[in-house]
């Protein structure tokens, strides 16, 4: 296995358990399975995180439900002493993940007592099936260096990790036809969750020598069921087993989940390990065919970028049910398992360009939660759709008003994520419109997209204000992406995005009027929209869009930002009194300074880059970059991408690597105040792809034309990737002095603008374009 | 001296020094002299607080300057041990203040060493002259019970108390023609400050027996100059002295201040104690003639109310120079000696009704600081006049952005007093218009008042926003009187006051058009005002004025106030972690709750009481009252006044007493965060008068008609007071069953509406009106 496909970590370090749980994540969109060891429990944050099933206990935060862990398996000595890293520090240990197939492998050598140097090697391979979305499979192998008796316990651990639980109750546990099962129901909506598990010995069945005692027992806490085998191991003999687990919930629409889980379990056992693994590998192979990005000259970046895409692929919604991707993927209950703007702005582009059907599904999720967004708008006295800052199944906002705890007083701190980050509605409209533009498929508009877009525009209409003296509309009291500055006026990013939303609404109306006039009439009548339309036109015409200062080129992040204290980041850090004090909020360290949490105006300059001269974008990058704390994992990728936009990819490269390796290194904020925010960083994962493709390869699409403005970092010799556009597919290779375009699916000719010149790509013909050194990435600008 | 004119405190308590310094204040508008003992120094917060002279040292807060203390005098034993309360705890001690004359008297019996029971009685009387505004006078008497030698040191203590000083520098000290003198200059603007002092023995001059050694010496610190007399006292003989001091600054326009001070000193010495005292008493007598309020049946309230008026009278600006009254009067440098809205809303009414010439001067101060208000508006990107929240000599805002220190982190806390309390400009316009209405004198309009009013309206025009969906103008991101809730939208008080300002501007324009068309043309041309006028009309027409809820009668204090946590005040208090933590600001205890700092909507309901039915006012009083923390001394008087407005004076009486006794008891907040905010409470002093006259006596004036709607507290049998109205003067006596109107100055008949019926008061005729029991205060409503 090429190292560019393999993530591996050797040695056991108790301080890395949580980080490795994220790093070695497996999943299939239906569920996420943390990269913990089979013998681990909730103490080590084992989680079988279910997508889309949320539960609330009392007044605690509503969050996704973790299912019982059907892969739980533990070796023990004959006297019952468990063989876990904690109680028997391993002689050797390694974990690895094959990105190409999604198979996780662990190998641990535990010491055995008694004879000097005797040990047992436990090896497992496991995966969450991409083929059968409810199935997890595990193959295990045990081999000792001396004859000895061991115990192998395996079954279902229903004592799950919860942050604001317990979410499961009314457990029933038992064995039916040799399959173990746990069924429980969620507290809030009484949704049943069932896990079935089956186990077989494959080779060296110790029962051949000695009667096995694999009778199931239920733990004293009534939450776990397990069999325990007594293994009389012979030195050097490998004992191999295979187990599967299947998970269903009441939301799956497959009848009684217990029954469905048992059925899947039986079928999977019958298929066997190899067949199951081959089937999932085939799905993975197809995914990589369209998704992979090959980087020449930089194996480290290659692995990191693949790993980033892997994380997106295991979190992307499975099946037909509209769904989206939470901010922390399926790595746990962090951030309430909620969907943020992260999805539309940072993850959607990858899917739009590689799996548009899946992108459509992500956006349909927003259309299906439109009523929640309407309720939120109405709650605050606005019209239209104000999407949830933290969205779960209904679209009602899971974001609380008190999101952070003040570390100095222990009091909950009022934050304005929920009330003031109005750009979320623009982000949603932008996502929907991007889909329509990139796919040419208007079915999303008819399937709720148009209604959503119109309602987002109407929200801005009711949120905006006209100032008669300045003769302009303004957006007041908002929070932009830089959440350290809450409740500001005319955040440039927000204003431009709101203007974009108004444009999208007007374009949607024009489009429907031409193509689907009946649908337009229907919508206008349902929404009583006609009077709003004129107001939207007026607002669009007069909406204040902060322009670059003619002298400095700077776009002020929001009104009076430049009057704030201009303190170096280092100095501000030295004022910190508590390691996890929150820098934003009413009294945060950064609030009264120019230090920002994350790319804000610089993100605007990417999204609207055709409106601004390169010098303006550069001036802003140079101004805001040293003032950015990167307190959000969404920040670095934007600085990487925009550095490439302005022809300075080497400025962006460290930010790209920071983004792409975020879940490999595990070096990221884990606490804000006393709030745990660990887990994988799906937006950064998507941002790594964006930085590589939009940034370094320089791909952009507009008005039916595909544009390439490459700016490869010095260390890259080339980048090769495939993408889809309006039913077509292309493979592009961007080198330092050439660009090659291979049409994969192409019916008619397609125009490519490469480094400023236009080329026509024709079906069946590969287009090879030379680019001159001055077009190339590091040409001095 | 009747006890209703006498404030007296016996005994010496070191914990009361600061409180008594406020309680026994004397002053004359030119300067305030704290009620400290003659032997005290800056350690006990002695201050000769100069009105209108401000100074800034480095980056510290700009604040008024304290002059050297020319009355400093101290007894000592022959061996030099000082006779001060600290070093020789008094056997008896008393301080008192005669409100009728403004004379402070202290009497202290200090023990003498040696013979059992021997002691010395030191008595002084002093006053700040109302007749000669630069002069302070002191008469002292020393009598021992045994023959003994004492030292009397007396001179000028130039080592002044400063909060953010030192403000004085470049001291010169010396004696000229027997007068001591100190001259220094302020740091910022090099304004000279001079004090001259003269001393004479009146009786029992010890020098008759023994040569005196009253040669002046200058202290080691170079800041004080004093003579020391050796007194060979004979038992039972009274030794009396008399000293005067005069203070001038470079702002007084009287040439070299040193010279002027010496001149005044010489003249005052020549006049002598009795003549000086009689002259000041005459001024006081005239003041009381027009100011006094006589309460029947309630001596405690009588004293407290007179005391409140006394505090106003000693702080009111002297002379012709436009000036105003700082929030803490002239009791020190607290609150930077700045003028707040306190003056217009809480102090102005007393002067408007009793000394309209002085009221005019208070308002001229605003007209003269209009350019400062323009600069502030421009600083924030607005037009017109945004008056300073804390105004000093130039009208530039002395209020800092970080006004409070966070007690938990020691960090400065961003507050929004300065930026968001836009009602200040409405308060100024309201004050100016009230003057014009009450006096009928339009000279103020021509002397800057009209320009100020127009510029205030224009400020609101540039601050307000039109919301097209709701088809109304709104005022966003403001702080109302309730400063615990910063940055709110549509604070009802602010919106109504802004509407009032727009009305005033429109009425001013109409008035000038009719009476002074040239002046109007001139103004419109200077201010390029014509386009603003139409916009002001439109804004006024559509300005959102939060209406009472039809069901509950409640006017919501600001948008979404009622969604805040409705926690009992007691419970909120129990959450307090630090005794002086600030309840407002970004993370304040009250910020996210319905607990308010001070009357806000309830004040609105007084100012606009004719617009609302009594039931609405009552519903709001009842709702907001238990939710008010009264963290401001401006709060209680409003609850008192509005309780009377709704016919429930006994609900208001405790609030009246709280207001009227605030500087007698000294029980008020002394710290916010770590900021000292002690001193006298001039707004509460004015509020006590308002509660008595507007509330209990029920006086109001509108459209040329004087209205009385009495509502006396049960304990009051009557209230008698005089007031002026459009060149007329009346004395009113409000009893429980009758109202008597005596015209003092009256040329034509004047309509009085009493308890709903109209009466005509004719020159020379006293009007006696019976009011029926149901009109009377406590009739059930």
């Amino acid at each position: 296995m090429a190292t560019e496909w393999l993530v591996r970590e050797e040695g056991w370090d108790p301080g890395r358990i949580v980080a490795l749980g994220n790093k070695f994540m497996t999943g299939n969109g239906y569920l996420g399975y943390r990269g913990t060891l089979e013998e681990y429990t909730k103490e080590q944050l084992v989680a079988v995180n279910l997508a889309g099933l949320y539960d609330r206990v009392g007044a605690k935060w509503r969050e996704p439900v973790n299912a019982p862990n059907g892969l739980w398996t533990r070796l023990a000595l004959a006297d019952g002493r468990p063989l876990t890293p904690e109680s028997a520090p391993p002689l050797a240990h390694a974990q690895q993940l094959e990105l190409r197939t999604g198979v996780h492998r662990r190998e641990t050598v535990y010491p055995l007592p008694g004879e000097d140097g005797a040990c047992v090697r436990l090896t497992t391979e496991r995966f969450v099936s991409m083929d059968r979305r409810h199935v997890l499979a595990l193959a295990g192998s045990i081999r000792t260096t001396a004859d000895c008796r061991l115990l192998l316990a395996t079954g279902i651990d229903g004592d799950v990790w919860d942050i604001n639980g317990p979410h499961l109750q009314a457990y029933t546990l038992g064995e039916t036809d040799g399959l173990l099962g746990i069924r429980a129901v969620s507290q809030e909506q009484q949704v049943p969750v069932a896990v079935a598990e089956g186990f077989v010995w494959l080779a060296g069945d110790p029962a051949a020598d000695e009667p096995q005692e694999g009778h199931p027992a239920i733990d004293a806490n009534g939450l776990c069921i397990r069999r325990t085998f007594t293994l009389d191991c012979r030195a050097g003999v490998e004992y191999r087993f295979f187990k599967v687990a299947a998970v269903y919930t009441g939301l799956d629409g497959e009848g009684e989940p217990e029954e469905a889980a048992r059925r899947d379990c039986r079928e999977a056992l019958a298929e066997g390990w190899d067949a199951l693994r081959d089937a999932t590998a085939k799905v993975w192979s197809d995914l990589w065919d369209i998704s992979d990005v090959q980087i020449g000259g930089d194996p480290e970046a290659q692995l990191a970028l693949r790993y980033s895409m892997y994380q997106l692929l295991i979190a992307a919604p499975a099946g037909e049910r509209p769904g989206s991707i939470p901010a922390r993927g399926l790595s746990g209950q962090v951030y309430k398992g909620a969907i943020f703007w992260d999805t539309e702005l940072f993850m959607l582009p990858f899917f739009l360009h590689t799996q548009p059907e899946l992108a459509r599904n992500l956006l349909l999720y927003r259309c299906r939660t439109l009523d929640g967004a309407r309720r939120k708008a109405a709650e605050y006295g606005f019209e239209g759709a104000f999407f949830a800052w933290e969205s779960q199944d209904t679209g009602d906002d899971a974001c609380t008003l008190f999101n952070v705890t003040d570390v100095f007083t222990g009091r909950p701190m009022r934050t304005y994520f929920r009330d003031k980050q109005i750009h979320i509605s623009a982000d949603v409209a932008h996502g929907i419109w991007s889909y329509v533009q990139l796919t040419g498929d208007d079915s999303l508009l008819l399937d709720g997209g148009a209604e959503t877009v119109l309602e987002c525009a109407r929200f801005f209409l009711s949120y905006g204000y006209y100032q008669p003296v300045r003769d302009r509309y303004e957006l007041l009291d908002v929070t932009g992406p830089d959440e350290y500055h809450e409740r500001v006026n005319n955040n440039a990013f927000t204003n431009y995005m709101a203007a974009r939303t108004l444009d999208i609404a007007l374009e949607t109306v024009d489009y429907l009027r031409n193509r689907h006039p009946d649908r337009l009439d229907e919508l206008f009548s349902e929404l009583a929209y006609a009077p709003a339309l004129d107001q939207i036109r007026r607002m669009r015409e007069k909406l204040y869009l902060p322009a670059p200062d003619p002298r400095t080129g700077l776009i002020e992040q929001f009104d009076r930002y430049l009057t704030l204290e201009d303190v170096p980041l280092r100095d501000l850090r030295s004022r910190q009194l508590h390691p996890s004090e929150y820098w934003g909020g009413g009294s945060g360290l950064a609030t009264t300074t120019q230090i920002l949490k994350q790319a804000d105006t610089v993100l605007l300059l990417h999204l609207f880059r055709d409106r601004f001269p390169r010098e303006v974008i550069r001036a802003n990058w140079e101004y805001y970059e040293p003032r950015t704390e990167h307190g959000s994992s969404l920040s670095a990728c934007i600085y990487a991408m925009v550095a490439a936009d302005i022809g300075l990819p080497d400025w962006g490269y460290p930010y790209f690597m920071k983004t792409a390796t975020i879940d490999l290194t595990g070096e990221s904020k884990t606490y804000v105040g006393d709030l745990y925010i660990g887990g994988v960083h799906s937006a950064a994962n998507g941002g790594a792809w964006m930085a590589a493709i939009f940034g370094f390869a320089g791909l952009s699409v507009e008005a039916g034309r595909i544009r390439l403005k490459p700016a490869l970092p010095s260390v890259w010799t080339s980048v090769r990737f495939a993408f889809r556009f309006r039913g077509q597919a292309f493979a592009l290779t961007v080198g330092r002095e050439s660009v090659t375009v291979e049409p994969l699916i192409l019916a008619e000719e397609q125009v490519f603008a490469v480094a400023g010149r236009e080329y026509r790509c024709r079906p069946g013909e590969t287009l090879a374009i030379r680019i001159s050194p001055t077009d190339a990435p590091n040409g001095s600008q």
Side-chain angles (χ1 to χ4, degrees), chain A:
Chain A
M1 171 70 59
T3 54
E4 295 94 343
W5 288 101
L6 193 69
V7 176
R8 185 173 166 87
E9 190 140 345
E10 306 213 355
W12 181 76
D13 172 358
R16 294 272 294 159
I17 292 174
V18 173
L20 297 192
N22 298 320
K23 181 169 179 170
F24 291 106
M25 279 292 301
T26 50
N28 62 10
Y30 177 78
L31 61 82
Y33 193 95
R34 285 178 60 78
T36 44
L37 304 185
E38 284 75 13
E39 53 269 45
Y40 280 171
T41 65
K42 65 179 183 183
E43 305 300 321
Q44 291 85 16
L45 311 192
V46 169
V48 184
N49 191 244
L50 295 173
L53 173 56
Y54 296 90
D55 185 68
R56 181 169 194 174
V57 178
K60 290 193 270 188
W61 286 355
R62 200 160 182 270
E63 63 184 17
V65 172
N66 287 332
N69 172 19
L71 298 188
W72 185 84
T73 300
R74 193 177 71 193
L75 271 182
L77 299 175
D79 62 7
R81 274 185 291 160
L83 288 172
T84 63
E86 285 73 17
S87 56
L91 303 174
H93 177 72
Q95 268 182 275
Q96 71 176 47
L97 189 61
E98 281 183 19
L99 303 180
R100 203 196 288 276
T101 57
V103 173
H104 174 270
R105 183 182 167 91
R106 66 79 64 95
E107 223 181 297
T108 310
V109 181
Y110 283 119
L112 291 174
E115 279 179 76
D116 269 358
C119 58
V120 53
R121 174 180 304 266
L122 171 68
T123 308
T124 69
E125 288 192 345
R126 69 176 189 234
F127 59 87
V128 182
S129 175
M130 274 288 190
D131 176 43
R132 293 175 164 275
R133 298 276 179 150
H134 298 267
V135 169
L136 307 96
L138 173 79
S141 148
I142 299 157
R143 192 197 306 237
T144 58
T145 56
D147 290 357
C148 65
R149 170 170 285 189
L150 295 176
L151 304 176
L152 178 74
T154 186
I156 312 173
D157 178 8
D159 190 8
V160 302
W161 172 42
D162 278 327
I163 295 182
N164 294 290
H167 296 294
L168 295 179
Q169 58 175 4
Y171 280 68
T172 57
L173 307 90
E175 184 185 22
T176 309
D177 301 335
L179 299 182
L180 303 189
I182 290 186
R183 183 185 189 277
V185 294
S186 68
Q187 297 229 31
E188 186 185 14
Q189 292 171 320
Q190 311 283 313
V191 177
V193 173
V195 178
E197 183 255 24
F199 179 98
V200 288
W201 286 104
L202 293 181
D205 181 347
D209 305 311
E210 191 87 16
Q212 67 181 56
E213 293 168 13
H215 296 303
I218 294 173
D219 277 14
N221 63 13
L223 302 176
C224 306
I225 183 166
R226 56 182 70 173
R227 311 171 202 80
T228 302
F229 299 99
T230 303
L231 314 185
D232 283 313
C233 300
R234 277 176 299 160
V237 174
E238 183 182 17
Y239 300 92
R240 290 185 59 223
F241 59 88
F242 163 46
K243 69 179 265 175
V244 296
V247 185
Y248 274 87
T249 79
L251 300 183
D252 295 330
E254 303 241 358
E256 172 50 53
E258 213 173 345
E259 203 47 61
R262 273 206 299 269
R263 180 199 62 213
D264 273 22
C265 228
R266 275 193 305 270
E267 290 176 5
L269 281 173
E271 271 191 54
W273 167 260
D274 290 341
L276 281 176
R277 195 186 50 187
D278 291 351
T280 206
K282 173 71 176 73
V283 177
W284 272 108
S285 170
D286 292 347
L287 284 174
W288 285 119
D289 276 352
I290 186 65
S291 313
D292 194 28
V293 177
Q294 287 155 12
I295 298 171
D298 191 349
E300 198 185 341
Q302 174 69 77
L303 176 67
L305 180 55
R306 275 201 184 119
Y307 178 74
S308 299
M309 291 187 284
Y310 167 85
Q311 285 285 8
L312 288 175
L313 293 169
I314 64 172
E320 296 305 304
R321 206 162 33 139
S324 193
I325 307 177
R328 290 292 184 256
L330 300 174
S331 67
Q333 291 154 324
V334 171
Y335 282 143
K336 313 184 189 90
I339 320 304
F340 291 66
W341 73 310
D342 304 35
T343 313
E344 279 75 14
L345 266 286
F346 295 81
M347 305 178 213
L348 183 68
F350 168 68
F351 294 108
L352 273 178
H353 287 78
T354 55
Q355 297 187 66
E357 319 73 28
L358 202 154
R360 187 178 192 281
N361 210 14
L362 296 175
L363 294 163
L364 262 188
Y365 163 79
R366 294 295 193 179
C367 302
R368 294 295 174 272
T369 51
L370 176 59
D371 279 344
R374 285 190 173 116
R375 282 189 293 271
K376 180 174 171 187
E379 176 195 338
Y380 287 106
F382 302 115
E383 300 192 348
F386 184 4
F387 274 91
W389 186 245
E390 303 185 4
S391 186
Q392 297 175 333
D393 43 355
T394 62
D396 291 288
D397 207 325
C399 187
T400 57
L401 300 183
F402 296 84
N403 236 356
V404 178
T405 297
D406 183 328
V407 293
F408 300 109
T409 60
R411 291 177 184 147
M413 185 188 290
R414 179 69 159 94
T415 49
Y416 290 86
F417 303 111
R418 184 191 206 269
D419 331 35
K420 303 299 178 190
Q421 254 180 114
I422 62 167
H423 66 78
I424 179 65
S425 287
D427 304 331
V428 168
H430 167 77
I432 290 172
W433 197 244
S434 299
Y435 174 84
V436 175
Q437 294 302 299
L438 266 161
T439 62
D441 167 25
D442 67 7
S443 71
L444 178 65
L445 286 183
L446 303 178
D447 203 4
E451 186 176 358
T452 302
V453 158
L454 292 182
E455 289 291 76
C456 288
R458 185 183 245 174
F459 166 67
F460 287 112
L461 180 66
S462 74
Y463 197 94
Y465 284 91
Y466 175 73
Q467 214 303 317
V469 174
R470 296 187 283 284
D471 186 26
R472 68 190 193 192
Y473 281 81
E474 302 185 14
L475 290 172
L476 307 169
D477 199 5
V478 307
T479 304
D482 165 22
E483 291 162 323
Y484 288 164
H485 295 95
E486 295 181 329
R487 308 197 58 199
V488 303
N489 291 342
N490 295 311
N491 167 257
F493 173 85
T494 304
N495 284 25
Y496 277 86
M497 287 297 282
R500 181 95 191 91
T501 304
L502 302 180
D503 282 339
I504 289 170
L506 295 170
E507 290 180 52
T508 297
V509 168
D510 285 349
Y511 182 89
L512 291 184
R513 185 171 288 132
N514 292 332
R515 306 291 187 92
H516 306 279
D518 293 352
R519 181 63 191 128
L520 184 67
D521 291 348
E522 208 176 285
L523 263 181
F524 266 48
S525 148
E526 274 168 25
L527 305 178
Y529 208 81
L533 197 63
D534 283 342
Q535 291 178 314
I536 285 175
R537 276 205 191 90
R538 268 198 301 280
M539 179 172 178
R540 176 61 189 90
E541 189 196 335
K542 299 264 184 180
L543 180 56
Y544 170 49
L545 298 179
D549 181 290
R551 202 175 44 82
T552 61
L554 278 192
I555 296 179
E556 196 171 23
Q557 190 178 291
F558 51 81
D559 289 354
R560 299 183 64 71
Y561 165 82
L562 291 171
T563 69
L564 298 178
E565 185 191 359
D566 192 15
V567 58
L569 183 54
R570 183 183 54 246
D571 294 6
L572 196 64
R573 218 165 249 144
S574 73
R575 297 181 193 168
Q576 200 161 338
L577 299 175
H578 186 287
S580 55
E581 65 173 287
Y582 183 54
W583 280 29
S587 306
L589 265 187
T591 305
T592 57
T593 75
Q594 291 188 33
I595 297 301
L596 35 149
K597 182 176 177 186
Q598 68 192 87
D600 187 308
T601 310
V602 169
L603 172 55
L604 149 73
L605 289 167
H606 171 74
L607 292 169
F608 297 87
R609 61 194 176 285
D610 292 333
R611 293 204 190 184
F612 301 102
R614 182 182 284 202
E615 306 75 55
V616 161
I617 302 179
R618 178 169 172 167
N620 283 277
W621 197 100
E622 291 193 59
Y623 190 85
Y624 287 111
E625 190 264 349
R627 291 167 177 81
T628 305
E629 189 245 349
H630 304 293
S632 162
S633 59
L634 281 57
S635 188
C637 58
I638 304 303
Y639 280 97
M641 191 161 57
V642 176
D645 287 349
I646 55 175
L648 295 163
D650 286 343
W651 288 13
Y653 182 74
Y655 282 117
F656 166 79
M657 286 305 286
K658 185 176 168 184
T659 301
T661 60
I662 186 169
D663 291 321
L664 287 171
T665 62
E667 287 162 9
S668 58
K669 263 191 202 175
T670 316
Y671 282 92
V672 168
D674 65 352
L675 178 67
Y676 174 64
I677 59 164
V680 300
H681 299 79
S682 306
N685 305 149
W689 185 89
M690 288 162 69
I693 304 305
F694 296 160
F696 301 142
L699 176 71
S700 64
V701 171
E702 74 215 23
R705 214 176 54 158
I706 299 165
R707 196 173 57 166
L708 273 182
K709 215 181 78 178
L712 299 190
S714 307
V715 65
W716 291 15
T717 54
S718 66
V719 56
R720 179 185 162 83
F721 62 99
F723 73 98
R724 289 167 65 177
F725 173 64
R726 300 203 173 178
Q728 310 170 150
F730 302 92
L732 263 68
T733 308
V734 174
R736 303 200 71 82
E737 296 182 359
S738 66
V739 168
T740 309
V741 181
E742 297 165 56
L744 303 178
I745 306 172
L746 186 63
E748 294 173 16
E749 75 173 23
Q750 169 67 45
V751 173
F752 278 75
V754 179
R757 254 176 288 171
E758 293 209 343
Y759 303 88
R760 280 156 207 287
C761 180
R762 298 192 179 83
E765 292 179 17
T766 291
L767 195 61
I769 301 164
R770 288 204 66 78
I771 48 177
S772 73
T774 52
D775 300 331
N778 293 305
S780 59
Q781 304 287 347

